[in-house]
Amino acid sequence: MAENNNDDEKSSLLQDVGLLVFLSLFSATAILMALTGNILLNVIYLFCTVMLLMITYFFGILPSLISNIVFIAIQAIIMIYQYVSQTARIPWQLSFWMVIPMLLSLALYSMTKNQVALQKSNGELRTALIERGAFDEQTNLRTTVAYIEDIAVFAETNRRFDIPVTTAIIKIRYFNDLRRMMSPNQTKLLLKLTTDSIKEKTRTNDITYLLNSDDPTWAILLYTDNKGAGIATGRIKEGFEKNVKANDSLSTMAISMIVGIASWDSSTMKTPYDLMNAGIHETQYDV
């Protein structure tokens, strides 16, 4: 743990130093551009430098160094041609452009390396979750795989601390009939609207899942009893109805939710599937 903290401090320090160096170099570049006075070449070289910085950020340090070397070579060829042909006076005062872009690229790389690595790590984690079937890409919700795993954790909490654990299963009434009347875009919209309505009305410690996307079935795990879950799902239903009525594409259809609520009972339930199936069974009685 101490080693990780030291690494984080070093990374943070490197980012701060990189930012200070980057700002200092850009300030120096602005001053040198003003002093040298060759507006056309300065503007051209500035645009080239910005392109090099974009290469550094998006592709990494190696492509950046190669691009910088090419840029330096182009400048050297131009100066050699001017010297040999004597067609124009060599602008030696602009030679700072051979050094500044590379220094800026190195400073930018040190400043953004951790951020880019974090973005890559998050992307890999997201992909891994999707591949495992524990994360739904379309709704950003956990799926049945995660739901079953989390029920086991909730059940253990119930056993050790006697905290009530309840699941709410949410479906769209007559969804198969509605789907035949809706366009694919309307179906996607309904899926998103329902997901957003559930998220809006749940607490931060209530976890929402999408168990089935073909016959849309959502689930919520709550640390509460049946009465508390009934209050929570009542809020969700109200919010859902308001959102449907406010949506021009869906307001003309008879869309409503059905909810099934079941609490964990260690005397009759042995596996996480027992709680899930009990909640699904209860949706049949929501009329």
Side-chain angles (χ1 to χ4, degrees):
M1 183 68 70
E3 290 181 0
N4 290 335
N5 290 335
N6 290 334
D7 291 340
D8 291 339
E9 290 176 1
K10 290 178 182 178
S11 299
S12 178
L13 178 62
L14 186 62
Q15 284 182 305
D16 294 339
V17 172
L19 176 60
L20 291 174
V21 172
F22 186 80
L23 293 175
S24 300
L25 287 171
F26 244 117
S27 300
T29 302
I31 294 171
L32 290 171
M33 288 177 65
L35 293 176
T36 52
N38 197 322
I39 298 176
L40 180 60
L41 280 176
N42 272 318
V43 170
I44 293 173
Y45 288 165
L46 178 62
F47 275 107
C48 291
T49 301
V50 171
M51 290 181 63
L52 291 171
L53 294 177
M54 292 176 66
I55 291 172
T56 303
Y57 183 82
F58 289 107
F59 298 102
I61 190 62
L62 184 58
S64 171
L65 292 176
I66 294 173
S67 301
N68 272 282
I69 292 172
V70 172
F71 183 50
I72 293 171
I74 291 172
Q75 293 184 71
I77 291 171
I78 292 173
M79 288 185 175
I80 292 171
Y81 174 77
Q82 290 177 335
Y83 177 77
V84 172
S85 63
Q86 296 183 349
T87 55
R89 183 173 60 86
I90 300 176
W92 295 108
Q93 67 272 23
L94 297 180
S95 58
F96 71 90
W97 285 112
M98 290 189 171
V99 180
I100 288 291
M102 183 171 290
L103 295 178
L104 282 169
S105 297
L106 291 173
L108 179 66
Y109 176 73
S110 65
M111 184 173 61
T112 61
K113 180 176 64 175
N114 289 336
Q115 180 182 351
V116 173
L118 182 61
Q119 290 174 349
K120 182 180 178 182
S121 177
N122 287 340
E124 292 174 349
L125 178 60
R126 184 185 181 89
T127 302
L129 287 172
I130 293 171
E131 289 176 349
R132 286 180 55 217
F135 185 78
D136 182 73
E137 188 175 16
Q138 183 177 351
T139 60
N140 291 329
L141 294 178
R142 299 179 179 217
T143 60
T144 308
V145 175
Y147 177 68
I148 295 301
E149 292 177 352
D150 291 347
I151 288 178
V153 177
F154 274 59
E156 179 63 18
T157 303
N158 168 266
R159 185 187 67 81
R160 294 181 61 185
F161 302 105
D162 198 26
I163 299 175
V165 170
T166 302
T167 189
I169 304 296
I170 298 173
K171 303 181 75 171
I172 303 297
R173 194 185 305 274
Y174 308 126
F175 177 77
N176 290 329
D177 295 329
L178 288 169
R179 181 162 51 185
R180 285 193 287 269
M181 296 184 290
M182 293 191 300
S183 67
N185 287 337
Q186 285 178 309
T187 305
K188 290 181 181 179
L189 179 60
L190 177 58
L191 188 68
K192 184 178 186 304
L193 186 144
T194 308
T195 300
D196 292 341
S197 299
I198 294 171
K199 287 181 176 180
E200 285 173 6
K201 299 300 181 180
T202 51
R203 299 172 301 182
T204 54
N205 60 332
D206 298 334
I207 308 176
T208 306
Y209 307 82
L210 181 66
L211 303 184
N212 189 341
S213 57
D214 295 326
D215 178 16
T217 305
W218 293 263
I220 310 172
L221 280 177
L222 311 95
Y223 282 117
T224 187
D225 54 16
N226 273 40
K227 183 179 179 180
I231 295 172
T233 54
R235 291 197 306 266
I236 292 172
K237 278 188 173 183
E238 290 177 5
F240 175 75
E241 290 173 1
K242 289 180 181 178
N243 291 337
V244 170
K245 290 178 181 178
N247 190 285
D248 295 335
S249 181
L250 301 175
S251 59
T252 57
M253 299 182 182
I255 300 174
S256 61
M257 277 184 174
I258 54 175
V259 176
I261 297 172
S263 293
W264 177 260
D265 184 353
S266 58
S267 63
T268 59
M269 296 179 179
K270 303 303 179 183
T271 70
Y273 291 97
D274 294 333
L275 180 62
M276 181 181 71
N277 293 332
I280 294 173
H281 181 71
E282 288 298 319
T283 60
Q284 302 175 18
Y285 302 104
D286 185 7
V287 297

